[in-house]
Amino acid sequence: RGALTMGKAAKKPATFVAKGVTALGRSQTYKRRGLFALKKKNGGKFPVHAKKAAPAPAATKAPRMYPADDVSPPLAVKTVRKPTKLRASITPGTILILLAGRFKGKRCICLGQLPSGLLLVTGPFKLNGVPVRRVSQAYVIATSTKVSLPSIDTAKFTDSYFKAAEAKSSKKGEKEFFDEPTEKKALPADYIANQKALDAAIMPALSADLKGYLSTRFTLRDGDRPHLMKF
C-alpha cells in the first residue's frame, strides 16, 4: 500500500516590529528558531567557541622624539560607492535641455549613461554645435520627445576618452607670464573623425521637425512659469 508523505510547510520570514524585535513573543521565537534542539545537542548548554588570540604586535624601535601635542590617528573611512541611479525620464534617445555650462539652453540627444554616472550626449554637432560630451543629469531637463536611434557603437566613448592629456608645465619668467598664448590647441584627428561618424549615424534618423527642434535654443521670456511647463 503506497503512502503519501506530506512535506513540512516552509517557515515564513519573521516579522520585525523594530530593529531586533519580532512580532512573536520571546518563547515563540525560541521555539521557532529551534534553539532547544541546539541546546539539547550540547548537553543543555549553548556551544561556546574560543576566541582567536590577537596576533602580537611587531616589535618597533621607540622614537627618539615625542610630539609635544597629542596627535590623533586618522580614522579609517570605508566608503561604498554606489552606481548613480538614472532618472526614469532619461533613456537613450531622449532629447535633453542643457541648463549649465558652455552650451546651456541648447538641446541634445542622450546616448546612454557612462560607468561614472554621467550622461553621454551629443547635439548632433552638425545641427547645433554640441559635440559628444559628458553631462551630469542634475543639469539637464528631460523632455517627452524621444528619437528612435539606430544601432550606434558607443564603446569607444568612455570616461577616459574625455580626459585631457596632462601637459608638462615649465616655470615661466616675467615675460612669459604676461604674454598671451597665441597658439590654439587643435583637437586630435581621431576625436574629429569619431564625431563625424556619430553625426552621420544619427542624422538620417531625424525628421525635418526634429532637426528644427534641436537647432533652436530653449529660452524663457517674461511671464513664463517654468514650474508649470510640460517639457
Side-chain angles (χ1 to χ4, degrees):
R1 187 177 65 175
L4 296 176
T5 58
M6 300 294 292
K8 293 184 179 179
K11 291 183 180 179
K12 295 182 179 180
T15 305
F16 286 88
V17 180
K19 188 176 181 180
V21 180
T22 59
L24 301 176
R26 187 176 180 182
S27 60
Q28 290 184 359
T29 304
Y30 182 86
K31 183 180 179 181
R32 184 179 181 278
R33 293 179 61 187
L35 298 178
F36 58 91
L38 185 64
K39 206 171 181 181
K40 183 179 180 181
K41 187 178 179 180
N42 292 274
K45 296 180 180 180
F46 286 110
V48 178
H49 303 285
K51 295 183 179 180
K52 294 182 179 179
T60 55
K61 189 177 180 180
R64 294 182 59 189
M65 307 292 292
Y66 292 94
D69 300 327
D70 293 335
V71 180
S72 57
L75 299 176
V77 179
K78 297 181 180 179
T79 306
V80 179
R81 297 189 179 275
K82 298 181 180 179
T84 306
K85 187 178 180 181
L86 190 63
R87 297 204 312 250
S89 58
I90 301 176
T91 56
T94 304
I95 295 181
L96 309 174
I97 301 174
L98 302 177
L99 300 178
R102 179 182 174 187
F103 304 100
K104 61 182 177 182
K106 291 196 174 185
R107 296 179 172 91
C108 59
I109 302 174
C110 176
L111 301 178
Q113 188 182 25
L114 297 174
S116 62
L118 299 176
L119 302 177
L120 181 68
V121 301
T122 186
F125 181 79
K126 192 174 182 180
L127 272 181
N128 51 22
V130 179
V132 59
R133 59 191 284 113
R134 297 180 298 173
V135 180
S136 173
Q137 62 176 334
Y139 298 103
V140 299
I141 295 177
T143 65
S144 57
T145 309
K146 297 183 183 295
V147 179
S148 56
L149 293 174
S151 57
I152 302 174
D153 184 16
T154 59
K156 65 182 73 173
F157 301 109
T158 58
D159 290 303
S160 58
Y161 176 82
F162 297 97
K163 292 182 180 179
E166 296 182 1
K168 295 182 179 180
S169 58
S170 58
K171 292 184 179 180
K172 296 181 180 180
E174 184 177 353
K175 183 181 179 181
E176 291 81 2
F177 182 79
F178 290 101
D179 289 343
E180 295 183 359
T182 56
E183 296 181 0
K184 188 177 180 181
K185 293 183 178 179
L187 291 173
D190 57 344
Y191 185 88
I192 299 174
N194 293 336
Q195 182 65 58
K196 288 182 179 180
L198 190 62
D199 290 352
I202 296 177
M203 289 295 290
L206 302 178
S207 62
D209 294 336
L210 283 176
K211 289 179 181 178
Y213 179 65
L214 288 167
S215 301
T216 56
R217 186 186 291 267
F218 173 75
T219 55
L220 291 175
R221 297 176 177 85
D222 293 339
D224 290 343
R225 299 181 179 182
H227 61 286
L228 296 179
M229 291 182 177
K230 291 183 179 180
F231 297 96

